[in-house]
Amino acid sequence: MRIGLLGYGVVGAGVDHLAQRLEGVSVEKVLCLNVGDVPGGRGVADISAIIDDPEIDTVVEAMGGLHPAWEFASGALKAGKHYITANKALVSAFLPELVELAKENGVALRCTAAVGGGIPWLVNIERCRRVDSIRRIHGIFNGTTNFILDAMHRDGAEFERVLAQAQKLGYAEADPSADIDGDDVRRKLVISTAAAFGKLIRESDVPMFGIRTVTAQDVLNFKALGKVCKLIARAESGEKIKASVEPVLIPAGAPESAVPENFNLVTYESENAGVQSFFGQGAGRYPTAYNVVQDCLDVCGGKNDFYTKQYVAAEVDNRDVLRCYYVRTSASDAWLQSVAATQGDGYIVTRAVSQADFHAHVRELQSRDHRLFFAAVE
Ligand code: HSE
């Protein structure tokens, strides 16, 4: 396999290092801004040096972002090159187009590192579905937010200080809003839903709330309630898909509550195998690079499918999902008061309400209180 690598940042450089250990795999050229950063004179500044090179059979992308990643991906696939990427924004937004282009050109499309960093999540979903059907997926899919919440629970740390630390350690996305507002998790959920259920849902249809506004006082409140806060994505299969990304207060003692630092814990439930969970490094240079080079080896071994053979478009519908919510807001609101079950010091916990109604209502409330925080309570 002769690789053209796109990007030489945290993940790209890691892929280059790990690929050096593999027999029959070589990184021939690297597209990056500072070509001098790439050892061996392999740096190139123009994508055509890779796409037009007939000696390169595989393009590995570790840049991130939608553009020019989409133009590079479609160019590479049309040129008959396998495409391996860690870019969840690209795959989540352009999944049908990418799958179609890969099929038309008879090449492989793989993105195992895009969900769960170094965890063998998508490949086990693929394996499970050979003999079983997956009904539900859920879990902690973001290392940065887990790192922040864990530190806030352990040390009473302030949100901003821990975020800066996570960025320094290379866990956070280039723009950390994608982590803390939930977009990164939502992209991973869209990709996982496609692989697990064969259903394509739209990112914008999945209700999402992040952890940007959580405070040290909220964490004290969670502890008083005997709970641990985690950012959880979940999806359930059906004619319509139930799917959400939101903070959840988990009983201390449940497996997710014990997930430390930047680790992820992701779970599927299938008809025959039951519950299977995967714990590991969801972010960082070498865990992510590990799954990228695993994809290279799988493609070398002839794997061509994008985790499942068939995809159909599906809608998201959370009207029947009933959940109780912790809400801390300075805005007074009649609807919220009408659904309050308990009143704490500066917060309420609602009775079970429709998740779809709750998210719609809170979006409106946020325009009056942008520091509002909520979490589902389990
Ligand atoms: N920023 C992501 C995370 C990287 O923190 O999980 C891996 O997708």
Side-chain angles (χ1 to χ4, degrees), residues 209-278:
F209 189 73
I211 63 159
R212 185 185 284 272
T213 54
V214 68
T215 63
Q217 181 58 50
D218 286 319
V219 174
L220 291 176
N221 298 341
F222 307 153
K223 286 185 176 172
L225 293 166
K227 310 281 185 184
V228 176
C229 184
K230 296 290 183 185
L231 184 62
I232 301 286
R234 60 175 81 243
E236 186 177 328
S237 187
E239 202 182 315
K240 293 188 177 175
I241 305 293
K242 296 178 172 121
S244 60
V245 174
E246 62 187 8
V248 178
L249 303 188
I250 292 169
E256 283 81 5
S257 73
V259 174
E261 298 172 1
N262 71 317
F263 285 88
N264 289 187
L265 177 64
V266 289
T267 297
Y268 57 67
E269 289 174 45
S270 71
E271 204 176 328
N272 297 300
V275 171
Q276 295 192 325
S277 295
F278 300 83

Side-chain angles (χ1 to χ4, degrees), residues 88 113-114 117 141-145 171-173 179 184 188 264 282-283 288:
K88 57 230 118 183
F141 287 80
N142 184 271
T144 303
T145 46
Y171 303 152
E173 298 296 297
D179 294 297
D184 174 79
K188 292 168 178 169
N264 289 187
T288 310

Side-chain angles (χ1 to χ4, degrees), residues 97-176:
E97 293 87 347
L98 290 168
V99 168
E100 201 47 46
L101 277 173
K103 262 195 197 152
E104 269 170 26
N105 294 284
V107 289
L109 171 69
R110 304 290 289 180
C111 70
T112 308
V115 187
I119 301 172
W121 168 244
L122 292 177
V123 286
N124 273 292
I125 284 180
E126 179 175 40
R127 198 162 178 277
C128 174
R129 289 198 68 205
R130 295 189 303 195
V131 293
D132 213 348
S133 80
I134 298 178
R135 296 163 170 166
R136 283 186 206 92
I137 51 179
H138 71 268
I140 297 169
F141 287 80
N142 184 271
T144 303
T145 46
N146 200 68
F147 184 84
I148 294 170
L149 290 169
D150 182 47
M152 290 181 80
H153 276 272
R154 265 189 300 108
D155 320 327
E158 284 305 329
F159 179 90
E160 284 75 16
R161 187 171 62 77
V162 208
L163 171 61
Q165 224 179 325
Q167 285 176 288
K168 223 161 121 195
L169 289 164
Y171 303 152
E173 298 296 297
D175 172 5

